[in-house]
Amino acid sequence: MSSAPSAGSTLSAGLLSTDLDDLGVTLGPDGGRLRIWSGAAQAMELVVFDDTDLDWATDSLPLEPVGGGVWEVTTHLLRAGTRYAVRVDGPHAPGNTFNRNTLLVEPYSRGLARGGYDDWRSVVVDGSFDWGGVEKPEVPLDRTVLYEGHLKGLSKRHPGVPPALHGTYAGLAHPAMIEHFLALGVTSIELLPVHAFATEPRLLQHGLSNYWGYNSLNFFTPHAPYATAQSRREGPESVLREFKGMVRLLHEAGLEVVLDVVYNHTAEEGIGGPRSSLRGIDNRAYYRQQDDGAYIDVTGCGNSVDTSTDAAARLILDSLRYWANEVQIDGFRFDLAATLGRDADHHFTPDHPLLRAIIDDPALAGVKKISEPWDVGMGGWQTGNFGDGWSEWNDRYRDRVRNFWLSDVDYARRASAAPVGIGGFATRLAGSANTFSQERGPLASVNFVTAHDGFTLRDLVSYDVKHNLGNGEQNRDGADTNRSFNHGAEGPTDDEGILATRRKAMRNLLGTLLLSAGIPMLTAGDEFGRTQRGNNNAYCHDSPLTWLSWEHADWQRDLFAHVQRLIALRRENPALRPIRFARLDEHTPSASVMEWFDEHGETMSGERWTSSSHRTLQYVAASTPEVEEFNRILLIVHGTERDTEVTLPEIDGVTRYVSLWSSVDETPVDDRDDHAPGDVVAVPGTSMHLFRAE
């Protein structure tokens, strides 16, 4: 049951409507009350099924309209464990798809039982759970390091996890997995979708599955196949209990749980697809349509949830409240979030009532909100345009960093000079102030070089083109522009020179990610250089291709050590993680005052910022502390394959530079050299070197 926001909330009147309170099943001493919203329904019926035979309907009861489009029934038949569905009848008109014979999933279901393909029953779940006093870690944004991974793929092959727990909620929280997360240093585990989802018929015909899970059946139910066999046998109550147990154990270890949530579309696909829930309850209200009923699809998935209607927006808001409070989730990454911000005319607006509600709702206070700030509709690319309180996936950061270390270097090999200089790269390194406003600051940017979607880090430095034939679409799917560079051979090679260059390229990409201002997101497996053999759209492969391997060569263990070192250095040096942008000639608390020098130790000139022949930079960031000690770092970035020499800058108050990390080293070096201002340091081609300025 979801409570209404406080009276002081700034949520819109429609989202605050008490008519929309307490939808779904609310259990009481004499049974349960079911409330369902449909603005166009003419009749609604509850159908109750046998506890073991989902085809045996044991009772049916009508729901009565109680105002505001809500239908309601209270009955002793609704108790924990009850299997049920609803039937809805209504007018036949463009945009309506009512069918009084179709059994539908109730949208607020906390549990689901499956009878067969496209055959589901809602299940009443009590949801009681002993949290044992464990609270959310509440990791500050500036200290957050996101680790994006697949619930099943993370633990499926881990030798330290018992086979019965492989690929499960319990497996993710096993001590062997927690040990890995803590050793690496990440703070927040961001899981690909774990809402109940289905595989599209097209994939089933090819013998494939929807592995990633971006095809939601229901916004309140955890995906049952990710639970252990024992929990699945015991039913939805046990599945939910296992999920909450996972959250509790991760919280005990100080690790946050962030969910990738898919509210922009559902598994009902386009017209003619499954009629499993919202389409049969009120198609016109829940999905974006033309006047004639044709769908307006801005997601590329067949349908788009119409968040301009109060019922659809409230469904999403109530789902978020449920996961954030009853399941204790720490944050959400919103898939194709631009769709959620489209108004009744289907135009994106950052002040959309739902987007503001997600930020302003007291029930979601302190929860991390991360948008994927685009969709595939007109005006769908909105990076930098979400409002205060949002962090955003920064695709501009991804593209610029890949260009600088990969495609620019590829270009320079063929043309003797890179196409651009270092200025754009430096802007991304410093927090993307040209994308995010002064008020929002650098923590509005979620920086990433790779994600679940696209090449892995290792494939990014090993393939020039995608290799997606195994997806069954003749290599037509997946991005064609990857900004990747194979460094001289496509895919696997025995050439040690190429392999060494690839390893350094990975270290440069990881170093940039973890030393940039903003919130870094590391993709699971990149710390070991995992490969998907050039497949940049492996959404349909539930196999060793996508499951993490835990057998590693020496170079992979070295790469892991580099990521460990970089995350630790980020944690230890607040100058690397400013909360605010510095203002010229002002003291801004928790900012980093930045200075920029060329390879001669001189202040960067305008010409050197833009010239493609100058790709060497010395970046000095000094913290303006509120709660931490003063800190200052120097980062050398050298973006050509020619070796060079750099004169360390002379800065007031700096007497020495202590070496902390270099991307040149195959293994992180523990002996830290000291250098004086004015010293000349040899810098090999395409490399980075971090110092602490003392």
Side-chain angles (χ1 to χ4, degrees):
M1 185 176 73
S2 298
S3 60
S6 66
S9 171
T10 59
L11 308 190
S12 73
L15 285 173
L16 279 169
S17 172
T18 55
D19 291 332
L20 297 175
D21 285 353
D22 303 331
L23 296 178
V25 173
T26 303
L27 292 176
D30 300 320
R33 182 188 66 188
L34 172 63
R35 285 165 54 86
I36 298 176
W37 182 91
S38 175
Q42 296 173 335
M44 198 174 294
E45 182 182 33
L46 166 68
V47 185
V48 177
F49 292 86
D50 181 74
D51 289 345
T52 56
D53 187 347
L54 296 183
D55 292 324
W56 181 11
T58 58
D59 285 283
S60 63
L61 292 170
L63 281 75
E64 301 296 335
V66 295
V70 174
W71 297 69
E72 184 176 303
V73 65
T74 300
T75 173
H76 70 280
L77 297 172
L78 290 172
R79 63 189 188 281
T82 297
R83 271 72 170 156
Y84 68 101
V86 294
R87 292 189 178 115
V88 183
D89 197 9
H92 296 279
N96 291 330
T97 55
F98 294 107
N99 185 322
R100 70 179 68 188
N101 297 314
T102 303
L103 295 168
L104 301 169
V105 171
E106 184 264 300
Y108 281 72
S109 304
R110 275 28 173 197
L112 291 175
R114 184 175 185 179
Y117 175 73
D118 196 27
D119 182 24
W120 302 89
R121 304 290 181 267
S122 298
V123 181
V124 178
V125 171
D126 175 77
S128 57
F129 184 79
D130 181 8
W131 290 96
V134 176
E135 298 182 352
K136 294 182 179 183
E138 296 184 349
V139 178
L141 277 179
D142 69 302
R143 290 180 171 269
T144 298
V145 180
L146 295 164
Y147 184 79
E148 188 208 36
H150 189 281
L151 189 287
K152 180 177 182 177
L154 283 165
S155 68
K156 176 65 177 172
R157 304 172 75 187
H158 198 298
V161 175
L165 305 186
H166 279 165
T168 67
Y169 299 123
L172 186 74
H174 187 272
M177 294 301 303
I178 289 176
E179 180 183 3
H180 173 71
F181 301 143
L182 295 179
L184 187 58
V186 296
T187 67
S188 310
I189 312 304
E190 181 179 313
L191 296 174
L192 269 64
V194 294
H195 288 174
F197 64 86
T199 290
E200 300 87 334
R202 174 184 59 81
L203 291 176
L204 293 173
Q205 291 169 2
H206 287 283
L208 300 170
S209 65
N210 188 323
Y211 174 65
W212 287 350
Y214 291 88
N215 201 40
S216 300
L217 278 166
N218 173 269
F219 297 153
F220 289 83
T221 305
H223 192 57
Y226 291 160
T228 58
Q230 178 177 341
S231 292
R232 296 198 305 273
R233 283 193 301 269
E234 294 173 355
E237 192 80 58
S238 290
V239 171
L240 178 58
R241 190 179 304 116
E242 182 179 325
F243 191 104
K244 290 180 176 179
M246 172 194 74
V247 174
R248 183 178 64 187
L249 288 170
L250 290 170
H251 282 178
E252 283 181 345
L255 295 162
E256 292 185 318
V257 181
V258 177
L259 299 187
D260 192 334
V261 285
V262 187
Y263 295 122
N264 57 80
H265 76 282
T266 74
E268 292 185 303
E269 303 183 26
I271 292 292
R275 178 170 42 214
S276 56
S277 186
L278 302 180
R279 175 173 290 146
I281 292 172
D282 195 328
N283 183 60
R284 174 61 82 179
Y286 280 109
Y287 294 119
R288 295 186 179 274
Q289 300 171 41
Q290 307 282 7
D291 291 341
D292 63 0
Y295 275 6
I296 297 172
D297 178 14
V298 298
T299 67
C301 301
N303 66 62
S304 303
V305 174
D306 188 356
T307 54
S308 70
T309 69
D310 292 331
R314 181 64 179 267
L315 174 66
I316 294 168
L317 192 63
D318 285 344
S319 172
L320 292 169
R321 292 167 170 172
Y322 170 73
W323 290 98
N325 295 295
E326 295 191 37
V327 193
Q328 291 289 288
I329 293 303
D330 303 279
F332 302 95
R333 179 267 188 189
F334 294 82
D335 180 65
L336 299 184
T339 299
L340 307 184
R342 290 182 180 270
D343 60 21
D345 295 322
H346 317 297
H347 299 140
F348 175 82
T349 169
D351 294 324
H352 189 285
L354 176 59
L355 297 185
R356 291 315 315 163
I358 290 169
I359 298 301
D360 296 338
D361 191 343
L364 299 176
V367 173
K368 292 177 168 66
K369 294 102 173 175
I370 301 167
S371 71
E372 182 184 38
W374 53 78
D375 62 21
V376 301
M378 291 292 291
W381 188 71
Q382 295 292 336
T383 305
N385 293 334
F386 280 66
D388 292 346
W390 286 96
S391 298
E392 304 177 35
W393 271 28
N394 189 349
D395 55 323
R396 292 182 177 183
Y397 176 96
R398 174 200 63 199
D399 293 349
R400 178 61 72 176
V401 172
R402 288 186 179 191
N403 281 346
F404 185 81
W405 290 118
L406 300 175
S407 55
D408 287 1
V409 175
D410 179 22
Y411 184 97
R413 283 192 182 184
R414 291 179 281 107
S416 300
V420 297
I422 203 167
F425 175 86
T427 300
R428 300 299 164 196
L429 187 68
S432 296
N434 61 345
T435 301
F436 301 101
S437 67
Q438 185 80 32
E439 291 71 27
R440 296 179 66 194
L443 298 180
S445 177
V446 173
N447 300 329
F448 66 107
V449 175
T450 64
H452 67 275
D453 187 3
F455 279 143
T456 66
L457 180 72
R458 181 174 169 186
D459 289 354
L460 196 64
V461 303
S462 304
Y463 293 90
D464 280 352
V465 296
K466 64 187 181 184
H467 296 263
N468 296 358
L469 284 173
N471 298 356
E473 298 184 48
Q474 291 75 50
N475 211 39
R476 292 192 300 264
D477 65 304
D480 292 314
T481 302
N482 296 285
R483 297 175 167 83
S484 60
F485 179 31
N486 68 20
H487 292 87
E490 187 72 358
T493 179
D494 295 327
D495 188 311
E496 181 51 41
I498 291 175
L499 292 173
T501 305
R502 288 177 178 177
R503 292 194 296 270
K504 185 172 62 169
M506 285 190 278
R507 296 192 293 269
N508 284 328
L509 291 163
L510 289 165
T512 303
L513 174 66
L514 294 167
L515 302 179
S516 293
I519 303 170
M521 185 187 79
L522 181 69
T523 304
D526 280 353
E527 71 270 31
F528 291 122
R530 81 177 184 98
T531 179
Q532 290 178 170
R533 301 199 294 272
N535 192 320
N536 75 350
N537 191 34
Y539 75 102
C540 55
H541 295 279
D542 185 357
S543 71
L545 180 72
T546 51
W547 305 334
L548 264 65
S549 171
W550 295 92
E551 297 180 359
H552 303 125
D554 288 344
W555 73 265
Q556 292 176 298
R557 287 186 282 272
D558 289 341
L559 187 65
F560 177 84
H562 275 282
V563 179
Q564 271 186 314
R565 173 70 60 84
L566 287 163
I567 292 176
L569 290 172
R570 181 180 186 85
R571 183 173 58 247
E572 295 163 3
N573 291 275
L576 292 168
R577 42 182 175 83
I579 295 172
R580 302 178 183 92
F581 290 127
R583 295 176 182 267
L584 188 64
D585 299 325
E586 292 183 23
H587 177 79
T588 304
S590 295
S592 287
V593 177
M594 298 168 185
E595 299 177 85
W596 308 90
F597 301 92
D598 62 18
E599 63 269 36
H600 306 299
E602 299 171 354
T603 299
M604 285 283 286
S605 64
E607 177 189 357
R608 286 180 175 264
W609 277 119
T610 58
S611 173
S612 61
S613 62
H614 294 285
R615 288 169 58 89
T616 306
L617 175 72
Q618 298 191 76
Y619 163 53
V620 175
S623 67
T624 52
E626 287 182 280
V627 295
E628 300 182 78
E629 295 293 323
F630 172 75
N631 171 242
R632 180 159 40 193
I633 61 92
L634 164 66
L635 179 64
I636 298 175
V637 178
H638 178 48
T640 73
E641 293 193 292
R642 296 184 299 274
D643 297 350
T644 191
E645 292 184 338
V646 168
T647 302
L648 301 181
E650 299 187 15
I651 301 171
D652 289 344
V654 175
T655 58
R656 67 171 183 164
Y657 296 101
V658 179
S659 176
L660 302 179
W661 174 81
S662 171
S663 68
V664 175
D665 302 322
E666 288 282 357
T667 305
V669 175
D670 291 325
D671 295 332
R672 297 179 174 180
D673 297 330
D674 291 356
H675 296 275
D679 281 359
V680 176
V681 177
V683 178
T686 52
S687 66
M688 306 176 73
H689 200 149
L690 178 70
F691 300 84
R692 185 175 62 247
E694 298 181 348

